Amino acid sequence: MKVVIAGAGAVGKHLSRLLSTENHDCVLIDDDEERLGGIDSTYDIMAICASPTSIQTLKDAGTGSADLFVGVTRYESRNINACMLAHALGAKKTVARIDNYEYLLPQNQPFFRDHGIDSLVYPEVLAARDIITGLKMSWVRQRWDVHDGALVMLGIKLREGCEILNQPLKDLCGPDDPYHIVAIKRGDETIIPGGFDELQLYDLAYFMTTQDYIPYIRKIVGKEHYEDVHNVIIMGGGKTAVRAALAMPDNMNVKIIENSVERCERLNTLLSESDAMVIHGDGRDLGLLNEEGIKHTQAFVALTGNAETNILACLAAKKLGVRKTVAMVENLDYVSMAESLDIGTIINKKTVAASHIFQMMLKADVRNMRSLMMVEADVAEFIASEGSKVTRHVVKDLGLPFGVTIGGLVREGKGMLVNGNTQIMAGDTVMVFCHEQKLNKIEKYFKNNSIW
């Protein structure tokens, strides 16, 4: 697949890293030589230092034959213009990064499609959506609703109260059991587990289950004593905080602590139709946190632009008794450190946005895809095509590559877990978990290909 990326910022570089390991034909364009420095030797891509809105540059990059053109520069207008030009030159699909929520409104989507832009990505909205999902379950590090909730994936940190430690998974996750363990993070190691693997204390385990069995999962992992989230303090009043506050459920009370007086005034305008309270101050000030009721707060969300500040603030909140903490960590080098400090849920806008874009690059019918940053694994919803290999054998006879597992499927709107004797049918939405950079090897199982 040929992909042209305009913009060598955080999202563009992360996409380039993903593509370089998937053997795609990738070209990265940026007019800042410093941002491109050494990237073509680090990743297996072509780097072009030129303006991404230059028609000649786009032609030189082969945009006319591109399967996907991605505009992810720092400037919204530049991304939109580049995508319009790429479409006019012949690019099959285009996606633009934006920072204006109005553009995402349903009534505006036809306008952008008519101008050659197939998809819009607003990283702050995607990050806010993940934050809200996580807050709905205080005892879960990460939650992902599959196929509108027919299946649910839960990432859970296992502690002393867990009932299922040190037992082979084949004894825990049989055909009739209501959950599967689909991925495990243990220290720096990522495990796509088999039947003889065991869960250990302090593992980050990913469970696949259905809505009905979430209370059962909560019980066996020893998290019943965790309070549901009703009071939330957000440190930092940027765009992600605004989108999160506006999308907050009615049963949650939100306070935003912002250090800038001018930004506080702006927040009061932006959030005038919500119940969020804006407070001027430093979210690291323990006196202020106590004054604002931190001891009666179930969730603390640190969303400043400084990763170190967010990590330290979450550590302080935990010491003050907050169970659920969320930190925005934009520097990927800090992610493993943040996890080792056990600060809670980690949000990274660029990986969220890159995952959203990356699913467009897969040739099979992929409904949704996510890179599980904490476990260096990917999870995707593949739709099985008529006559595809995945429909010709039961799961145990598919010959899936090492490090790949199928966690569940959705058939006619109903979620069900998968075992070795499951027969996948055409039209099923199938959840696939694998180590990073293996999705490209999996999609052929789901396509109608006469070679098989």
Side-chain angles (χ1 to χ4, degrees):
M1 181 179 248
K2 183 174 181 62
V3 183
V4 178
I5 302 173
V11 177
K13 284 183 177 177
H14 191 67
L15 272 174
S16 298
R17 183 183 71 82
L18 292 174
L19 290 168
S20 67
T21 57
E22 289 282 349
N23 298 316
H24 292 288
D25 179 7
C26 180
V27 181
L28 181 62
I29 305 171
D30 199 291
D31 55 8
D32 188 325
E33 190 171 353
E34 185 175 338
R35 281 201 295 269
L36 286 173
I39 198 167
D40 52 353
S41 59
T42 304
Y43 307 139
D44 185 18
I45 63 172
M46 176 188 293
I48 297 177
C49 185
S51 169
T53 54
S54 160
I55 294 176
Q56 187 57 52
T57 297
L58 294 177
K59 288 181 177 179
D60 292 342
T63 302
S65 60
D67 296 288
L68 181 66
F69 181 90
V70 182
V72 285
T73 74
R74 291 176 293 175
Y75 306 106
E76 175 185 77
S77 59
R78 203 175 211 194
N79 296 334
I80 291 172
N81 288 337
C83 284
M84 292 171 62
L85 291 171
H87 173 77
L89 289 171
K92 293 182 177 66
K93 281 186 179 180
T94 65
V95 55
R97 176 182 179 174
I98 60 168
D99 56 17
N100 186 338
Y101 186 75
E102 179 188 17
Y103 293 168
L104 293 178
L105 297 176
Q107 63 266 31
N108 294 329
Q109 298 307 298
F111 171 84
F112 288 99
R113 284 195 295 270
D114 290 345
H115 286 79
I117 302 171
D118 297 290
S119 183
L120 299 171
V121 174
Y122 192 162
E124 287 77 10
V125 169
L126 296 175
R129 192 178 301 159
D130 278 2
I131 291 168
I132 297 299
T133 299
L135 292 181
K136 290 178 181 177
M137 300 176 71
S138 61
W139 50 281
V140 169
R141 286 287 177 91
Q142 187 174 5
R143 170 177 172 161
W144 192 24
D145 288 342
V146 178
H147 209 89
D148 302 322
L151 289 170
V152 181
M153 185 191 70
L154 305 174
I156 304 171
K157 189 78 169 183
L158 305 182
R159 302 191 184 277
E160 286 81 357
C162 181
E163 302 174 5
I164 55 175
L165 299 177
N166 306 314
Q167 302 173 57
L169 294 183
K170 65 182 179 63
D171 297 337
L172 298 173
C173 307
D176 299 322
D177 289 300
Y179 65 91
H180 284 167
I181 306 296
V182 293
I184 301 169
K185 178 65 178 293
R186 180 174 299 150
D188 294 329
E189 182 184 9
T190 295
I191 302 168
I192 302 297
F196 293 97
D197 287 300
E198 300 180 359
L199 296 173
Q200 297 180 11
L201 190 63
Y202 305 128
D203 281 351
L204 178 59
Y206 283 80
F207 293 72
M208 178 63 69
T209 189
T210 58
Q211 293 275 2
D212 293 342
Y213 288 101
I214 291 177
Y216 175 75
I217 302 296
R218 185 173 188 173
K219 175 183 179 298
I220 63 174
V221 297
K223 303 284 187 178
E224 289 181 299
H225 60 288
Y226 277 62
E227 286 186 83
D228 291 334
V229 174
H230 298 294
N231 299 313
V232 183
I233 291 179
I234 298 177
M235 182 178 76
K239 292 180 181 179
T240 305
V242 171
R243 300 323 317 174
L246 290 173
M248 201 69 67
D250 293 337
N251 65 328
M252 295 185 191
N253 302 309
V254 184
K255 295 180 180 180
I256 299 178
I257 300 178
E258 167 56 45
N259 209 20
S260 164
V261 174
E262 293 78 10
R263 184 59 182 172
C264 284
E265 293 173 355
R266 179 61 177 156
L267 288 172
N268 281 321
T269 301
L270 293 171
L271 301 173
S272 60
E273 296 184 6
S274 77
D275 295 327
M277 179 184 297
V278 178
I279 299 163
H280 174 240
D282 188 337
R284 297 167 297 180
D285 184 338
L286 299 184
L288 176 62
L289 291 177
N290 281 312
E291 185 179 325
E292 294 302 329
I294 190 73
K295 296 197 181 293
H296 304 290
T297 296
Q298 293 81 38
F300 181 88
V301 184
L303 300 178
T304 76
N306 187 291
E308 298 99 316
T309 297
N310 295 338
I311 292 169
L312 291 172
C314 284
L315 286 173
K318 276 191 170 294
K319 286 187 177 296
L320 292 171
V322 180
R323 286 279 191 183
K324 180 74 174 183
T325 57
V326 180
M328 181 77 78
V329 180
E330 286 301 282
N331 188 334
L332 286 175
D333 294 334
Y334 289 169
V335 169
S336 59
M337 179 189 72
E339 168 61 14
S340 68
L341 293 172
D342 198 21
I343 64 166
T345 300
I346 297 169
I347 297 290
N348 183 281
K349 289 183 294 186
K350 63 184 171 224
T351 59
V352 173
S355 294
H356 184 83
I357 296 168
F358 187 65
Q359 75 184 61
M360 300 180 68
M361 304 174 190
L362 298 171
K363 298 174 185 176
D365 193 349
V366 182
R367 191 173 191 270
N368 207 347
M369 178 263 174
R370 174 71 60 89
S371 288
L372 302 179
M373 177 177 57
M374 296 310 303
V375 292
E376 299 173 358
D378 294 327
V379 54
E381 300 177 47
F382 284 97
I383 299 177
S385 300
E386 186 75 43
S388 59
K389 183 181 181 182
V390 78
T391 64
R392 299 182 186 181
H393 309 278
V394 296
V395 169
K396 67 181 180 181
D397 295 331
L398 288 175
L400 295 173
F402 176 77
V404 175
T405 188
I406 294 177
L409 62 83
V410 180
R411 181 176 296 158
E412 297 179 352
K414 182 180 179 181
M416 60 185 73
L417 300 179
V418 168
N419 60 62
N421 295 316
T422 300
Q423 177 67 62
I424 295 171
M425 299 172 62
D428 286 350
T429 300
V430 183
M431 293 305 303
V432 177
F433 294 77
C434 63
H435 288 295
E436 283 184 331
Q437 289 88 50
K438 285 196 174 183
L439 283 180
N440 201 40
K441 299 177 182 178
I442 302 303
E443 61 176 341
K444 64 183 181 182
Y445 284 79
F446 291 84
K447 294 188 297 181
N448 186 348
N449 191 329
S450 59
I451 295 175
W452 294 107

